[in-house]
């Protein structure tokens, strides 16, 4: 599984990005990443509206957090990709395992 994270905004407005790739089974299996990813996927399913709000462009699914404010001054904005799925999440909405995964990717990814 490949996970990419882009964090933009903030006071300085300097974007940061990183990606990690790990196995969910087989030889490349990484239990720590796999467990965190599964927990984050469950939280993601609760955050985002059903398929009616998803737009598909060029084979990529894009979702935006339901009920999220459009812009908060000096706040971070997160874009996460789980494989081909892309999620845009304001900083105030990103929490729990989803935030932990995003921060871990930025800290340990390349």
């Amino acid at each position: 599984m490949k996970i990419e994270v882009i964090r933009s905004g903030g006071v300085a407005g300097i974007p940061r990005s990183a990606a990690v790739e790990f196995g969910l089974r087989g030889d490349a299996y990484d239990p720590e990443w796999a467990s965190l990813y599964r927990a984050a996927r469950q939280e993601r399913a609760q955050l985002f509206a059903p398929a009616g709000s998803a737009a598909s462009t060029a084979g990529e699914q894009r979702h935006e957090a339901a009920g999220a404010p459009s812009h908060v001054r000096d706040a971070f904005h997160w874009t996460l990709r789980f494989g081909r799925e892309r999620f845009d999440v304001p900083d105030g909405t990103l929490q729990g395992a989803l935030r932990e995964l995003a921060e871990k990717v930025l800290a340990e990814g390349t």
Side-chain angles (χ1 to χ4, degrees):
M1 169 59 58
K2 183 174 183 177
I3 298 177
E4 297 175 82
V5 174
I6 301 169
R7 185 187 73 190
S8 58
V11 175
I14 300 170
R16 285 190 59 202
S17 64
V20 296
E21 203 160 343
F22 57 91
L24 293 172
R25 58 182 83 82
D27 292 339
Y29 178 71
D30 185 319
E32 182 181 356
W33 281 101
S35 175
L36 186 55
Y37 167 73
R38 288 183 179 112
R41 279 196 58 118
Q42 286 182 334
E43 288 182 9
R44 180 211 30 104
Q46 295 172 359
L47 259 183
F48 299 96
S53 68
S56 179
T57 58
E60 176 182 277
Q61 289 186 345
R62 181 178 174 151
H63 304 275
E64 294 186 23
S70 60
H71 181 71
V72 176
R73 185 180 176 134
D74 296 334
F76 288 121
H77 182 84
W78 300 78
T79 300
L80 294 87
R81 286 192 179 165
F82 291 178
R84 298 185 100 178
E85 293 181 272
R86 177 179 164 165
F87 308 94
D88 294 315
V89 187
D91 192 56
T93 306
L94 190 67
Q95 54 191 317
L98 201 53
R99 177 176 286 278
E100 187 179 345
L101 179 65
E103 290 176 347
K104 185 174 176 72
V105 170
L106 282 182
E108 299 179 22
T110 55

